[in-house]
Amino acid sequence: MAKRDFYLAAYDVSERGRLSAALSLVRAYATGGQKSVHEVFLTDAERRELLHDMALILDEEEDRFLLLRLDPRGRVHTLGKGMQPHDPTLFYMG
């Protein structure tokens, strides 16, 4: 199985149509998240694909996208009813 790294994907999109497209794209990879910040586990190939596809959606003058790789040595802290993220053995993308 390909190695997946844990990322936070966040975006700020000013136009409703691009916002909807950005949300759909990130949710295709997401394992969790809230509003415009999502938790994603990505292989190197998936990361490149996500960045490429997002670049096609966003207006670089008006919109922003951040993909932040989290340190795998870090501890996860959850608040409220949050669940710790995990890299499942199976992802359904479709």
Side-chain angles (χ1 to χ4, degrees):
M1 182 172 186
K3 179 184 175 291
R4 294 180 185 273
D5 292 316
F6 186 41
Y7 294 85
L8 288 182
Y11 51 86
D12 181 21
V13 181
S14 60
E15 192 268 325
R16 187 177 303 257
R18 291 192 312 266
L19 176 62
S20 178
L23 174 62
S24 294
L25 177 60
V26 173
R27 279 196 178 160
Y29 294 93
T31 60
Q34 297 182 6
K35 302 209 182 220
S36 59
V37 178
H38 300 272
E39 301 166 345
V40 293
F41 285 94
L42 301 171
T43 64
D44 286 338
E46 290 167 338
R47 180 186 53 81
R48 286 189 300 274
E49 181 179 19
L50 173 59
L51 291 172
H52 174 266
D53 292 348
M54 190 61 76
L56 296 175
I57 292 170
L58 301 181
D59 179 327
E60 66 182 56
E61 296 294 320
E62 297 182 12
D63 305 328
R64 300 293 176 258
F65 180 68
L66 172 71
L67 187 62
L68 177 68
R69 182 180 171 270
L70 299 177
D71 188 339
R73 298 168 300 176
R75 287 190 30 180
V76 174
H77 300 277
T78 58
L79 300 173
K81 294 183 180 183
M83 295 172 39
Q84 289 198 9
H86 59 89
D87 186 5
T89 56
L90 171 70
F91 280 94
Y92 173 76
M93 297 175 72

